[in-house]
Amino acid sequence: RGYLDNITAIGPRTVGSPANEVLAVNYLLEQITAIERESTDVHKIFVDIQRPTGSFSIDFLGGFTSYYANITNIVVKLEPQNGAEHAVLSNCHFDSVPNTPGASDDAVSCAVMLEILNTLSKSSEPLQHAVIFLFNGAEENILQASHGFITQHAWAKSIRAFINLEAAGVGGKELVFQTGPENPWLVQAYVVAARHPFASVVAQEIFQSGIIPADTDFRIYRDFGNVPGIDLAFIENGYIYHTEYDTSDRILTDSIQRAGDNILAVLKYLATSDMLAKSFEYRHGNVVFFDVFGLFVLAYPARVGTIMNYITAAVAFLYLSKKLLQPKTRAIHNLKKFFTAFGLTLLSWVCTLVTVLIVAVFISVIGRSLSWYTHFHVSVFLYGTAAAAQLILVHTLAKKFFYKNMNEHYLGDTFFDASVMIWSVALAVITQMGLCSAFICTLWVAFPLLTKLMIHKEFSQKGATMKFVVIYMLGMFVPYLYMMYLSWTVFEMFTPIMGRSGSEILPDVVLAGFIVVTTMILSSYFINFIYFVKSTKTTLITLTTVFVVTLILVCSGIFFPYSSDAANPKPMRVFLQHMSRRFRDLDGNVVKSDSGIWINGFDYNGISYITPHVPEVNDTIRTPCEEQAPFCGLPWILPVHFMFRLVKNWYLPAPEIFPRSPIHFKVVSKELMPWNAMRLSFEVSGPSHISLYVRPHEGSALSTWSLGDGRPVASLGGDYFVFYSHGLQAAPWHFWIELMVPEKRSDGIVSLAVAAHYFFGEDQKSPQLCALLERFPNWTFSSGWSCTYDLFVF
């Protein structure tokens, strides 16, 4: 707790700032030195300060290239007295995003690592392998420091596994959401050693699918170091992740203790394990893993899971075929009834999905999106009741008009079998796709079949008695309880993300879709009860009433999306950049210049809720696109343009800014290469964060450059984006680009723009930006900085 409080007391720790490069580094070194003085003779401690320079390309956020210079890593190696050939790495980062204290992301992890280093160094038990603690100083700059370490540091070659400590929320339990690649022994190490396990292969497959706009150092160690590892992150209360509210007092001591217990135990296990030295022998094969309500973790090889899945599906198909084809005289009749029930079930799902999504689109169109953001129960009352009512309505109508005068018990039994068929097909398909999450389908096939076996006699003799209902509910208890547990975990992760997912995605549609899918899953084995009961009228009226009342309240605007509650804030995120732009022609003449405050809301609502408080920020000042310039002539700090529509960001005219430390950009040389390519060499110096944008003109092609591995990576839309940052005392940035030019063109061969971003110091906020920020309501998190943008044509 003391470490955490002291790190966050430094304030925002942006890469290149004195807070990050001096104050945070000095504090960490002081603590490491104090720990070293009190360590036992059993271990040796080595400390190294690394300031790497390098470049790489990454396909994150649509693809871009990163260049870093003189950033900071603090590397500590704890090893036995006689040395160690192999090592396990523990990674945290002490930098933060601008304008935030970064307590959970990621100061708390660095605090935990300091305490683990302290504990291990005082232990009288010798380690078999070394433990390397990397306190990296540039993760928020899209994973730069970890790349500098794993590709350049001498100790990196000894690393056989790693644990990466991250955050996607503030406090709570830390979730294992990525492992491997392959190396099932690492999951087994976590299973055996972790005292408070919380892990899910479902979370891993969701994260690695790319639908969550985030990434971690795990990718760098995996892709550039070829090292397997475990990725953990705090996921609770993501509403204040990357905001000014991410303070140390919001992270409970119990949460810190829990993380420390787990990570210390796993690190000790790995550092004393024979498997670490021979990790290459245990590399092959993925693993299915999931915790059971936080009590323990079940883990088994994916190939075993595949066999189990196919056996379960085969048993289900055997059960269905035997039931439907016996006796032979009624086989055709049975198949007709079965496939009718199967089709009706799918039809009810489609109708439910379409109906609820129409409601979600309507809510979005009338400007009431995210009404559930602060009041999560609203989403259940609005979309959950609509989904349940629609499902029940379809089957009630089918029972009344299509299945008139048919035996209710026979119908209930048939729809149960239809659900078994759906889950069995899903199980076979998902297993064939190679997804480890197929274990969920196994639960939804195996337990219902076992339940059916237990109640078959009771049901065939007496029908749907109370005893039948009790046994049925008990048999379904495990899959239902686990599904609700898993759904809540996913809900807890995804709901806050909708507040920072950009203006392109309709958050109500996403959440409504999730609620519908959850409703369909949870109701799949209760559809048959609709055919058992005499009437569903009361249930339908109740659900419809709740839905209609909630819809009216949402449309009236009574549920305000955001909250400034000191104990539990859920702010709206807004980014403001006071920028000055200059556009030059082929001769270097400025043909256009302007300045203003560029405003981006980070969710679908845009500024509709802000305009009443700041009237001049309204729909009359939408940002125009400069078609001739890369990325519309806008100073994106990262290539996230695809997440934001120009109709949902705004450009408020403001006086020109004159940074005290302006950017210097010059052409060093122009050279025609023997292979008919033009090489342009440049020199750039300026603030710690610079964005470079490149657009080859029609007929030209960017063939190579001095960045990354030499192969240019285009962003979405076809332009090229380079993210540059440096620590203290960095030399000017030199780079070149090479373009294939088939013929001389009067309009030039390439447009190149450079934006300088001022995230700290006296140039960060102009008086006009400060004045505007002060007028924003207290339920917003408004992050502002100044920047300049210059476009050149060559």
Side-chain angles (χ1 to χ4, degrees):
R1 168 63 72 179
Y3 293 142
L4 172 61
D5 291 341
N6 291 331
I7 294 171
T8 53
I10 295 169
R13 301 172 301 285
T14 311
V15 172
S17 68
N20 191 66
E21 310 299 329
V22 179
L23 298 179
V25 169
N26 288 347
Y27 174 75
L28 290 169
L29 289 174
E30 287 171 9
Q31 304 313 308
I32 292 164
T33 302
I35 290 169
E36 188 178 3
R37 281 198 300 264
E38 297 180 12
S39 64
T40 64
D41 296 335
V42 177
H43 307 100
K44 293 186 294 185
I45 295 180
F46 299 93
V47 182
D48 184 51
I49 300 175
Q50 182 199 25
R51 292 202 164 87
T53 295
S55 181
F56 62 97
S57 295
I58 189 170
D59 61 3
F60 178 53
L61 294 177
F64 67 97
T65 299
S66 182
Y67 188 98
Y68 54 90
N70 212 42
I71 56 176
T72 306
N73 279 325
I74 301 174
V75 196
V76 184
K77 180 161 73 168
L78 179 75
E79 66 178 14
Q81 279 293 338
N82 56 353
E85 182 182 353
H86 308 286
V88 57
L89 171 71
S90 181
N91 177 78
C92 74
H93 67 91
F94 58 85
D95 66 312
S96 71
V97 294
N99 304 315
T100 71
S104 69
D105 189 24
D106 192 33
V108 66
S109 297
C110 291
V112 167
M113 273 175 46
L114 282 171
E115 188 57 40
I116 290 173
L117 173 62
N118 184 39
T119 302
L120 289 177
S121 69
K122 290 179 179 177
S123 173
S124 58
E125 299 176 39
L127 300 173
Q128 186 177 339
H129 310 291
V131 180
I132 295 174
F133 297 87
L134 174 59
F135 300 86
N136 96 51
E139 190 272 350
E140 297 296 357
N141 280 16
I142 314 299
L143 322 178
Q144 291 178 335
S146 56
H147 182 269
F149 171 76
I150 203 67
T151 59
Q152 299 177 40
H153 201 281
W155 294 347
K157 296 186 178 88
S158 67
I159 294 169
R160 300 292 172 263
F162 69 89
I163 297 178
N164 183 50
L165 315 181
E166 257 298 346
V170 179
K173 299 189 290 185
E174 76 289 351
L175 171 69
V176 173
F177 66 100
Q178 286 192 101
T179 65
E182 299 190 313
N183 288 275
W185 66 276
L186 269 175
V187 177
Q188 291 296 340
Y190 179 83
V191 170
V192 171
R195 293 174 60 182
H196 316 286
F198 186 38
S200 174
V201 73
V202 178
Q204 172 173 293
E205 292 182 339
I206 289 174
F207 188 82
Q208 293 182 349
S209 71
I211 62 175
I212 296 178
D215 218 330
T216 74
D217 288 322
F218 181 97
R219 171 199 281 260
I220 299 297
Y221 298 132
R222 178 194 67 196
D223 294 353
F224 293 94
N226 197 28
V227 181
I230 299 173
D231 213 0
L232 303 100
F234 295 101
I235 63 168
E236 190 174 285
N237 199 7
Y239 299 98
I240 57 176
Y241 166 75
H242 279 189
T243 73
E244 63 189 339
Y245 300 107
D246 183 12
T247 53
S248 61
D249 59 296
R250 297 185 188 277
I251 302 175
L252 298 178
T253 302
D254 288 350
S255 183
I256 303 171
Q257 184 67 49
R258 173 199 160 88
D261 287 345
N262 281 341
I263 297 159
L264 173 61
V266 176
L267 277 176
K268 282 183 71 174
Y269 183 90
L270 292 173
T272 55
S273 169
D274 293 330
M275 285 187 174
L276 190 75
K278 303 174 184 176
S279 58
F280 59 91
E281 295 180 9
Y282 308 97
R283 180 175 182 82
H284 300 292
N286 290 316
V287 63
V288 180
F289 62 93
F290 54 95
D291 71 285
V292 180
F293 313 119
L295 301 174
F296 59 90
V297 172
L298 284 177
Y300 50 87
R303 60 182 180 276
V304 173
T306 299
I307 294 169
M308 288 168 52
N309 294 346
Y310 281 133
I311 289 174
T312 305
V315 169
F317 290 134
L318 185 65
Y319 154 78
L320 290 170
S321 61
K322 186 176 179 181
K323 184 170 181 183
L324 295 174
L325 301 177
Q326 297 291 335
K328 290 182 180 179
T329 53
R330 291 185 57 82
I332 301 298
H333 173 79
N334 290 342
L335 285 170
K336 281 183 179 179
K337 294 300 180 186
F338 172 76
F339 282 109
T340 302
F342 183 84
L344 262 172
T345 302
L346 293 180
L347 178 65
S348 69
W349 287 3
V350 171
C351 290
T352 300
L353 183 62
V354 170
T355 301
V356 177
L357 291 186
I358 288 172
V359 174
V361 171
F362 171 73
I363 293 296
S364 303
V365 168
I366 65 170
R368 297 302 179 194
S369 188
L370 292 167
S371 56
W372 38 264
Y373 193 64
T374 294
H375 322 275
F376 82 92
H377 57 274
V378 172
S379 62
V380 179
F381 291 155
L382 183 64
Y383 301 125
T385 56
Q390 182 67 23
L391 271 174
I392 293 171
L393 178 63
V394 171
H395 287 282
T396 300
L397 293 174
K399 177 184 175 183
K400 184 174 181 181
F401 298 107
F402 189 74
Y403 289 121
K404 207 170 184 180
N405 301 322
M406 282 195 66
N407 184 281
E408 294 170 348
H409 294 163
Y410 174 78
L411 281 176
D413 203 34
T414 303
F415 276 92
F416 175 91
D417 292 342
S419 295
V420 172
M421 180 67 173
I422 290 170
W423 279 108
S424 300
V425 171
L427 173 59
V429 170
I430 295 173
T431 302
Q432 182 62 34
M433 291 169 63
L435 296 176
C436 294
S437 300
F439 79 90
I440 297 172
C441 298
T442 301
L443 294 177
W444 285 103
V445 175
F447 278 90
L449 284 178
L450 290 172
T451 303
K452 184 77 170 178
L453 190 66
M454 289 189 296
I455 62 173
H456 175 70
K457 188 176 179 180
E458 174 74 18
F459 182 71
S460 58
Q461 291 178 355
K462 302 178 183 178
T465 61
M466 183 55 68
K467 182 181 177 182
F468 160 83
V469 173
V470 171
I471 298 173
Y472 190 90
M473 298 290 281
L474 288 174
M476 297 294 183
F477 181 75
V478 171
Y480 271 87
L481 188 63
Y482 183 76
M483 194 64 212
M484 286 189 284
Y485 171 73
L486 183 64
S487 298
W488 177 250
T489 302
V490 174
F491 187 85
E492 191 175 36
M493 287 177 62
F494 264 89
T495 306
I497 290 172
M498 293 297 98
R500 57 178 189 270
S501 57
S503 63
E504 292 290 283
I505 297 172
L506 277 67
D508 275 67
V509 169
V510 174
L511 190 71
F514 172 72
I515 290 174
V516 168
V517 170
T518 304
T519 304
M520 291 190 304
I521 291 171
L522 294 176
S523 66
S524 56
Y525 285 105
F526 281 97
I527 287 172
N528 51 333
F529 277 81
I530 297 171
Y531 296 90
F532 290 150
V533 298
K534 290 183 178 180
S535 173
T536 57
K537 186 177 179 181
T538 304
T539 305
L540 276 172
I541 290 173
T542 303
L543 290 171
T544 305
T545 302
V546 173
F547 164 70
V548 170
V549 170
T550 307
L551 181 63
I552 292 170
L553 292 175
V554 167
C555 293
S556 71
I558 196 170
F559 299 114
F560 189 71
Y562 314 106
S563 169
S564 59
D565 178 23
N568 190 23
K570 293 179 180 175
M572 176 186 183
R573 298 162 190 260
V574 188
F575 280 39
L576 300 92
Q577 294 170 241
H578 190 170
M579 63 180 182
S580 289
R581 301 189 296 177
R582 289 177 293 273
F583 299 84
R584 294 172 175 81
D585 62 13
L586 193 57
D587 298 321
N589 302 314
V590 176
V591 294
K592 179 182 178 180
S593 64
D594 60 21
S595 60
I597 298 175
W598 184 37
I599 304 168
N600 276 288
F602 254 53
D603 64 41
Y604 187 77
N605 283 328
I607 55 154
S608 56
Y609 289 100
I610 293 175
T611 301
H613 300 267
V614 191
E616 63 267 38
V617 179
N618 57 58
D619 287 340
T620 65
I621 57 165
R622 293 191 188 277
T623 309
C625 176
E626 302 293 339
E627 299 288 351
Q628 82 284 5
F631 294 91
C632 278
L634 296 168
W636 296 102
I637 180 63
L638 287 170
V640 292
H641 53 291
F642 61 93
M643 295 173 61
F644 300 89
R645 290 181 293 171
L646 285 178
V647 296
K648 284 215 170 183
N649 55 65
W650 297 264
Y651 192 33
L652 180 67
E656 186 176 357
I657 57 170
F658 300 94
R660 295 170 180 83
S661 304
I663 190 170
H664 296 285
F665 178 87
K666 69 178 181 179
V667 182
V668 177
S669 66
K670 300 179 184 180
E671 184 180 1
L672 184 62
M673 310 305 288
W675 45 88
N676 197 32
M678 177 63 75
R679 176 176 290 188
L680 304 173
S681 299
F682 304 94
E683 178 184 293
V684 185
S685 60
S688 63
H689 291 70
I690 296 172
S691 303
L692 178 73
Y693 322 92
V694 182
R695 175 184 289 178
H697 291 187
E698 187 177 351
S700 303
L702 183 60
S703 56
T704 185
W705 57 10
S706 60
L707 307 169
D709 61 2
R711 292 175 295 179
V713 174
S715 295
L716 291 176
D719 294 334
Y720 296 84
F721 186 101
V722 181
F723 178 86
Y724 168 87
S725 74
H726 68 72
L728 298 179
Q729 300 172 341
W733 177 29
H734 290 92
F735 68 93
W736 53 261
I737 64 174
E738 207 170 276
L739 297 112
M740 300 301 294
V741 188
E743 59 186 32
K744 189 173 181 179
R745 298 181 61 88
S746 60
D747 61 345
I749 60 173
V750 64
S751 292
L752 187 148
V754 61
H757 302 271
Y758 298 88
F759 283 124
F760 55 86
E762 55 188 5
D763 288 330
Q764 182 183 4
K765 295 177 183 176
S766 65
Q768 294 81 10
L769 181 58
C770 289
L772 184 63
L773 287 169
E774 287 177 3
R775 295 173 59 198
F776 271 63
N778 59 1
W779 41 262
T780 63
F781 167 64
S782 309
S783 183
W785 69 93
S786 297
C787 59
T788 61
Y789 177 96
D790 291 275
L791 175 74
F792 304 87
V793 180
F794 300 101

